[in-house]
Amino acid sequence: MNVSDLWDRHSAPQMPPPVRLGGTQYAAHLGSAPMPAPDFDRSLIWVCLALLCWGLVMVYSATIALPDNPRFANLSHNYYALRHGMWIVLSLLVALMAFQVPMSWWERNAPWLFIGATLLLVVVLLVGVRINGARRWIALGPLRFQPSELAKLAVLLYVSRYMVQRLDASFVRTVGPLLMLVGVMGALMLGQPDMGAFIVITVIAMGILFLGGVNARIFFTLAAVLAAVLALMIWASPWRRDRIFAYLDPWGKEYALGKGYQLTHSLIAIGRGEVFGVGLGGSIEKLHWLPEAHTDFLLAVLGEEFGLVGLVCVIVMFWWLTRHIMIIGRRAIALDRVFSGLVAQGVAVWLGFQALVNIGVNLGALPTKGLTLPFMSYGGSSIMANMVAIALVLRVEAESQELMHTGGTQA
């Protein structure tokens, strides 16, 4: 029996059909009034465009002085801004094409996308470009592509499809093979090494497991096991241990000029911004004091130039974005479109978690971890993956609106 059957039996407006999602009861208020023609979710588009534009401005501000450093003397002052803008335009075009593809196609081809992403992770270990000791990029002429960003999208689609097909199977048949497959991809990421991406795909998979209805006791047992494995990995790696100790005491003489250097200068930048900031372009920390100011620590430059007001605006925008996408997923599930709903909610988990980690790192609330701020930080592969994810959410909502408008059912 699906949601439509329940709605036919209980058609009174005051008794909407309940939908079980991860142990929580939600209600879909379809109503009897005519629905408007399906359209883009304009509010979601405007928020994403605002983040993209603000990010482009901040990338330009954070990198404008880089050519003054002898290491970057051969670059122009707008080198990174132009490349970032080019990636934004390219990502918008790819996202527009992704929006044209029905969710049924993504569901059918999710295993092949997962296999393709896994093979690319193997390729990057063999012939990838090594930067700062990490082999994470594949050179494509003048551009560099990071397969781990595609892997996040592939895991999102594959786990959503897997849960729809295996939801009624036993725990061993449902979770066991899934953990093995995601574990293989995670091991390839750790070989790069890219622990940040490994944590993100783990959170995406666990989030979809929970939202897909896995028993809470089993879920929290898995979470505890994964947390223990993560702690063991950190303890077994001296440089990861040093990052944790530097996070606990970044101002100590042992870490202030080493592992805690980025964190201390991030805190200095944010503290200098105070409430209203020093003004756009007025950051001092970006003048060769704060490393990776245009990628992982872009938020620190934003905090220095726009102050607490700017930081609060960014946090509110990501909170709204995550909540809005989660609502879109709930609406799709209420219409008996479980795969689409899990995909949308998985995107919310992905973007919300990555933004939370990046903001926490910049504010000193979490240990330093190489995760960019979605839509804003410099990084073409990340921008493209984020935009395709939003295109999928827009497609989910458009199909839901069409289904409610026509009153039909979807195969």
Side-chain angles (χ1 to χ4, degrees):
M1 180 181 297
N2 57 29
V3 174
S4 301
D5 296 328
L6 291 173
W7 183 249
D8 291 336
R9 290 189 180 186
H10 307 283
S11 57
Q14 67 271 21
M15 294 185 65
V19 178
R20 182 181 184 279
L21 184 61
T24 308
Q25 300 294 327
Y26 296 112
H29 298 271
L30 301 182
S32 56
M35 296 295 297
D39 201 353
F40 288 106
D41 189 327
R42 289 185 174 82
S43 57
L44 180 59
I45 292 174
W46 281 116
V47 170
C48 291
L49 288 177
L51 289 171
L52 286 171
C53 293
W54 198 357
L56 178 60
V57 171
M58 292 312 304
V59 167
Y60 179 65
S61 177
T63 58
I64 191 172
L66 277 182
D68 297 336
N69 187 322
R71 288 179 54 201
F72 306 99
N74 61 330
L75 303 180
S76 65
H77 291 281
N78 57 5
Y79 172 81
Y80 286 100
L82 287 176
R83 288 174 67 90
H84 191 63
M86 178 192 66
W87 272 108
I88 289 176
V89 173
L90 181 60
S91 299
L92 288 172
L93 293 175
V94 173
L96 184 59
M97 289 187 290
F99 175 80
Q100 307 301 320
V101 181
M103 292 306 298
S104 57
W105 185 92
W106 295 105
E107 184 173 6
R108 287 195 308 272
N109 292 279
W112 297 109
L113 294 173
F114 185 89
I115 293 171
T118 304
L119 292 177
L120 285 176
L121 291 175
V122 174
V123 171
V124 78
L125 291 176
L126 298 176
V127 299
V129 178
R130 185 180 293 275
I131 300 177
N132 296 329
R135 195 186 294 273
R136 303 175 184 173
W137 297 268
I138 297 176
L140 300 174
L143 303 178
R144 287 196 296 262
F145 174 71
Q146 193 169 357
S148 60
E149 294 297 334
L150 174 62
K152 296 174 186 177
L153 188 64
V155 167
L156 166 71
L157 293 167
Y158 181 73
V159 178
S160 298
R161 179 183 187 271
Y162 193 94
M163 288 304 297
V164 170
Q165 292 188 338
R166 301 288 187 98
L167 191 59
D168 296 328
S170 65
F171 168 74
V172 174
R173 290 181 57 195
T174 300
V175 180
L178 180 62
L179 292 180
M180 289 179 60
L181 292 171
V182 175
V184 169
M185 182 176 281
L188 292 172
M189 289 180 174
L190 292 174
Q192 297 178 8
D194 192 353
M195 191 170 183
F198 167 72
I199 293 174
V200 171
I201 68 164
T202 302
V203 169
I204 291 172
M206 291 295 291
I208 295 174
L209 280 176
F210 179 77
L211 295 168
V214 169
N215 181 276
R217 179 176 57 83
I218 295 173
F219 172 82
F220 287 112
T221 301
L222 282 173
V225 171
L226 289 173
V229 171
L230 181 62
L232 183 61
M233 290 168 52
I234 293 173
W235 187 256
S237 173
W239 65 274
R240 288 192 181 112
R241 276 205 316 270
D242 287 343
R243 277 195 172 187
I244 299 297
F245 294 142
Y247 156 72
L248 296 174
D249 185 21
W251 304 99
K253 62 180 181 180
E254 184 179 355
Y255 301 110
L257 297 177
K259 296 294 185 183
Y261 183 82
Q262 283 180 303
L263 176 55
T264 55
H265 281 273
S266 176
L267 295 175
I268 290 171
I270 292 173
R272 185 171 178 269
E274 297 184 348
V275 178
F276 297 104
V278 298
L280 180 62
S283 169
I284 291 178
E285 285 298 319
K286 72 183 181 184
L287 303 177
H288 318 300
W289 293 103
L290 178 60
E292 307 298 333
H294 58 303
T295 56
D296 302 348
F297 285 87
L298 186 71
L299 191 75
V301 179
L302 187 149
E304 187 176 1
E305 296 186 351
F306 289 91
L308 177 64
V309 173
L311 291 175
V312 170
C313 287
V314 171
I315 292 171
V316 169
M317 290 170 78
F318 276 107
W319 170 81
W320 182 92
L321 189 72
T322 303
R323 180 177 179 274
H324 189 73
I325 295 174
M326 192 68 73
I327 291 173
I328 288 174
R330 285 163 47 182
R331 184 179 298 125
I333 292 177
L335 293 170
D336 206 21
R337 303 173 59 239
V338 180
F339 170 78
S340 297
L342 289 178
V343 167
Q345 293 190 321
V347 171
V349 171
W350 167 11
L351 298 180
F353 174 78
Q354 189 162 325
L356 176 66
V357 171
N358 182 273
I359 293 170
V361 166
N362 278 261
L363 296 178
L366 294 171
T368 303
K369 179 46 59 189
L371 287 176
T372 57
L373 187 62
F375 305 105
M376 300 190 74
S377 293
Y378 178 82
S381 302
S382 175
I383 292 290
M384 183 171 290
N386 295 158
M387 292 307 300
V388 171
I390 291 299
L392 293 181
V393 174
L394 290 171
R395 181 72 194 193
V396 169
E397 177 64 1
E399 291 185 2
S400 294
Q401 292 291 338
E402 177 68 20
L403 188 59
M404 290 189 292
H405 178 60
T406 60
T409 58
Q410 205 170 48

